[in-house]
């Protein structure tokens, strides 16, 4: 995946990891005696991470990424006892999907008397997961046990390399150490965030015998650009005015301008089945929303008259028309459908498209219509994550591949349908369905969450609300409510809209 900006992504991942560790009290300052007898002004207590489920997941995911990037070949994942076992378990089961093995510190005196537990055969190649590597001694002990059982272990993945000679010692024994963090990245982070002063930095470097000359400051916030797959992300939204002026996507320029003018990041999903009902609500909702989403194929009396009236309303009341067709076929068929019976490309501003069909069926075909002034269609939203329970968009790599397609075609792809922010490109808008302030599920697969979670925590830009409004006996009140709460959540950190 070329344009995923792997480097930025990994840098951002590390930075977010360190930030969450800092909040979890992993870095302790004072006077600590280390195992070696040294007195250290810093103590890095990774066990604090166990108390924070998000951090446990984040570390496991980051370790798994490190494994994937390394290209190591392996049949199983072995956790070095004891502190690394939680990470090894989550990494093996959740991310790497490989068998987990553990090695006992002492053989049982009963039963099988095995030292290594799990599924393996002599000759198998394992990767090792460790939390902290200091001298590498405990890893070499484990490698010895594995070798005696005929197993091969040549790569170790750890959270922190304390840079106390472990890496070289392991290398001398034919084992490569891959670390998520080293003392340099930890100290650079702590210094940049102001958690350690200049003086403290020098004290730590001296006490730990580290070979650094001067502290380095980096712009942490600038580096946190792309945190697409993290469960909780930092606020990384660029001010709306800046996004509006920077984007080269014509539809997004219009959307961002409408949002700012109407102070609304609310898209109403009108899933009624007659033209009259849809148009009636569209007229009522017009002042409060930046977009209206329909399912044209659910409207039983769909006609050209309906689309004519809808486009007139949209032009008069300044909202975007969004047809949620979810195109997902060959490019040729997509084209036939866009121009076919319902002439979608003639009245919709934006449509949803599944990434599953691949780039060629998407970009070229939609670009052709989007660039043709005879059609109203001006953009595509790629479905990066569905809101439904058990959706296969959660399969490893699916969302990332979708993001990749979008990032490469930002002139026609204006954003995503997703649950959390998925791309670091600020010109791509994140639209999110699955929002309801009064219910959690509809018992038909839909999963709802509140506005604050969608906008504030998960960093989406636009909420798509259906039944929260359409099933209410007081739709206007609900429209006002959703619009106010969503806009407040979006605008609270954005001076350009206040
Ligand atoms: P609801 O009534 O708030 O559940 O309506 C949500 C709308 O968004 C509805 O029209 C769905 O078809 C649409 N939707 C969704 O809910 N989840 C998704 O992942 C996608 C679309 Br894509």
């Amino acid at each position: 995946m070329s344009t995923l900006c792997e480097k930025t992504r990994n840098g951002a991942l590390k930075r977010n990891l360190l930030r969450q560790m800092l909040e979890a009290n992993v870095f302790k300052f004072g006077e600590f005696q280390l195992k070696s007898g040294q007195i250290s002004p810093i103590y890095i207590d990774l066990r604090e991470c166990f108390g924070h489920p998000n951090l446990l997941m984040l570390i496991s995911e980051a370790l798994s990424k490190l494994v994937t990037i390394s290209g190591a070949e392996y049949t199983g994942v072995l956790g070095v006892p004891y502190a690394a076992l939680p990470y090894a378990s989550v990494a093996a089961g959740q991310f790497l999907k490989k068998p987990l093995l553990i090695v006992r510190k002492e053989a049982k005196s009963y039963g099988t008397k095995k030292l290594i537990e799990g599924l393996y055969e002599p000759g198998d190649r394992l990767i090792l997961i460790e939390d902290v590597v200091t001298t590498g001694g405990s890893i070499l002990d484990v490698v010895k046990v594995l070798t005696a059982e005929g197993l091969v272990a040549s790569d170790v993945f750890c959270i922190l390399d304390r840079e106390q000679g472990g890496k070289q010692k392991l290398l001398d024994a034919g084992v490569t150490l891959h670390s998520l963090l080293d003392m340099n990245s930890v100290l650079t982070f702590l210094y940049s965030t102001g958690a350690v002063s200049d003086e403290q930095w020098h004290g730590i470097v001296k006490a730990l015998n580290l070979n650094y000359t001067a502290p380095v400051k980096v712009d942490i916030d600038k580096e946190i650009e792309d945190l697409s797959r993290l469960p909780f992300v930092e606020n990384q939204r660029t001010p709306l005015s800046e996004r509006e002026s920077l984007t080269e996507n014509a539809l997004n320029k219009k959307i961002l301008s409408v949002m700012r003018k109407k102070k609304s990041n609310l898209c109403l999903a009108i899933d009624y089945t007659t033209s009259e009902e849809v148009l009636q609500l569209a007229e009522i909702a017009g002042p409060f929303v930046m977009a209206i989403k329909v399912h044209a194929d659910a409207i039983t009396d769909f006609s050209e008259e309906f689309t004519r009236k809808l486009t007139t309303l949209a032009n008069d009341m300044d909202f975007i028309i969004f047809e949620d067709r979810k195109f997902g076929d060959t490019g040729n068929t997509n084209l036939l459908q866009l121009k076919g019976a319902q002439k979608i490309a003639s009245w919709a501003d934006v449509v949803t498209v599944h990434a599953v069909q691949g780039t060629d069926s998407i970009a070229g075909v939609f670009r052709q219509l989007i660039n043709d002034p005879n059609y109203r269609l001006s953009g595509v939203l790629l479905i990066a994550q569905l809101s439904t329970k058990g959706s296969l968009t959660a399969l490893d790599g699916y969302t990332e591949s979708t993001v990749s397609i979008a990032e490469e075609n930002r002139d026609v792809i204006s954003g995503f349908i997703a649950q959390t922010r998925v791309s670091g490109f600020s010109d791509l808008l994140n639209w999110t369905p699955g929002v309801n302030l009064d219910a959690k599920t509809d018992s038909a697969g839909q999963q709802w969450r509140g506005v604050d979670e969608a906008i504030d925590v998960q960093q989406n830009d636009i909420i798509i609300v259906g039944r929260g409004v359409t099933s209410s006996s007081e739709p206007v009140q609900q429209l006002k409510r959703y619009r106010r709460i969503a806009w407040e959540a979006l605008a609270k950190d954005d001076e350009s809209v206040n």
Side-chain angles (χ1 to χ4, degrees), residues 62-72 74 96 127 129 157:
L63 282 168
S64 306
K65 272 193 159 203
L66 200 60
V67 172
T68 309
I69 291 167
S70 78
Y74 61 101
L96 300 170
I127 52 164
I129 304 270
F157 299 85

Side-chain angles (χ1 to χ4, degrees), residues 269 271 293 295 324 326 383 386-387 417 433 446 448 466-467:
D271 292 332
K293 183 176 90 62
H295 285 286
D324 193 3
K326 302 184 179 74
I383 298 169
L386 279 159
S387 62
I417 299 291
Q446 179 66 298
W448 286 307
R467 283 162 287 180

Side-chain angles (χ1 to χ4, degrees), residues 52-315:
H52 304 268
N54 287 320
L55 196 46
L56 176 68
M57 292 302 286
L58 192 57
I59 293 175
S60 308
E61 181 178 9
L63 282 168
S64 306
K65 272 193 159 203
L66 200 60
V67 172
T68 309
I69 291 167
S70 78
E73 287 183 6
Y74 61 101
T75 51
V77 179
L78 184 132
V80 178
Y82 292 101
L85 294 181
Y87 308 109
S89 310
V90 178
Q94 170 85 14
F95 297 108
L96 300 170
K97 316 268 187 221
K98 287 279 170 100
L100 172 76
L101 293 100
I102 57 173
V103 59
R104 294 181 174 279
K105 284 202 162 176
E106 280 166 24
K108 289 188 293 186
S109 56
Y110 55 91
T112 55
K113 297 193 177 160
K114 277 164 81 176
L115 265 180
I116 303 167
E117 304 283 2
L119 190 69
Y120 67 91
E121 282 177 13
D124 277 358
R125 192 171 263 278
L126 306 181
I127 52 164
L128 269 53
I129 304 270
E130 174 60 302
D131 68 337
V132 182
V133 172
T134 309
T135 62
S138 42
I139 289 172
L140 289 180
D141 290 345
V142 170
V143 171
K144 238 183 255 165
V145 175
L146 299 179
T147 311
E149 288 287 318
L151 293 165
V152 184
S154 50
D155 292 273
V156 181
F157 299 85
C158 74
I159 303 170
L160 175 68
D161 173 7
R162 293 187 65 106
E163 298 180 60
Q164 305 287 302
K167 189 168 186 153
Q168 188 58 47
K169 195 164 160 192
L170 288 169
L171 201 59
D172 293 344
V175 179
T176 306
L177 177 67
H178 310 260
S179 54
L180 218 43
L181 307 168
D182 53 22
M183 287 309 288
N184 193 15
S185 52
V186 170
L187 291 181
T188 301
F189 172 81
L190 292 175
Y191 181 72
S192 303
T193 54
V196 304
S197 64
D198 221 79
E199 198 184 328
Q200 276 175 306
W201 186 93
H202 284 285
I204 295 167
V205 166
K206 188 161 173 242
L208 299 181
N209 257 330
L210 294 164
N211 195 19
Y212 314 145
T213 45
V216 178
K217 206 164 210 131
V218 293
D219 185 342
I220 301 290
D221 291 322
K222 194 163 155 278
E223 291 203 13
I224 300 183
E225 279 172 8
D226 191 355
L227 303 165
S228 66
R229 297 187 59 227
L230 308 182
F232 285 91
V233 298
E234 300 286 331
N235 189 346
Q236 49 173 329
R237 265 191 302 248
T238 310
L240 292 188
S241 59
E242 206 175 302
R243 295 172 79 174
E244 186 184 330
S245 61
L246 285 179
T247 184
E248 285 172 20
N249 180 298
L251 177 65
N252 279 352
K253 249 195 205 319
K254 177 171 175 195
I255 290 175
L256 287 159
S257 140
V258 170
M259 281 169 69
R260 293 207 301 138
K261 197 164 85 190
K262 294 175 95 173
K263 292 192 181 302
S264 175
N265 53 334
L266 171 62
C267 166
L268 177 65
I270 308 185
D271 292 332
Y272 290 155
T273 53
T274 66
S275 306
E276 197 187 335
E277 285 174 305
V278 175
L279 292 169
Q280 250 175 22
L281 185 56
E283 192 166 2
I284 292 171
F288 308 106
V289 300
M290 41 68 65
I292 285 184
K293 183 176 90 62
V294 293
H295 285 286
D297 50 0
I299 299 172
T300 50
D301 59 345
F302 180 88
S303 64
E304 272 192 47
E305 196 193 341
F306 164 73
T307 58
R308 198 175 40 73
K309 286 184 175 162
L310 186 63
T311 47
T312 304
L313 279 180
N315 297 344

Side-chain angles (χ1 to χ4, degrees), residues 268-271 293-295 322 324 326 352 354 382-388 391 393 417-419 432-436 442 446-448 464-471 482:
L268 177 65
I270 308 185
D271 292 332
K293 183 176 90 62
V294 293
H295 285 286
F322 173 177
D324 193 3
K326 302 184 179 74
T352 37
H354 277 302
L382 273 194
I383 298 169
Q385 293 164 332
L386 279 159
S387 62
T388 46
S391 163
T393 57
I417 299 291
Q419 291 298 289
T432 193
V435 175
N436 193 311
D442 66 354
Q446 179 66 298
Q447 304 179 111
W448 286 307
I464 301 172
V465 178
R467 283 162 287 180
V469 170
T470 59
S471 298
Y482 279 95

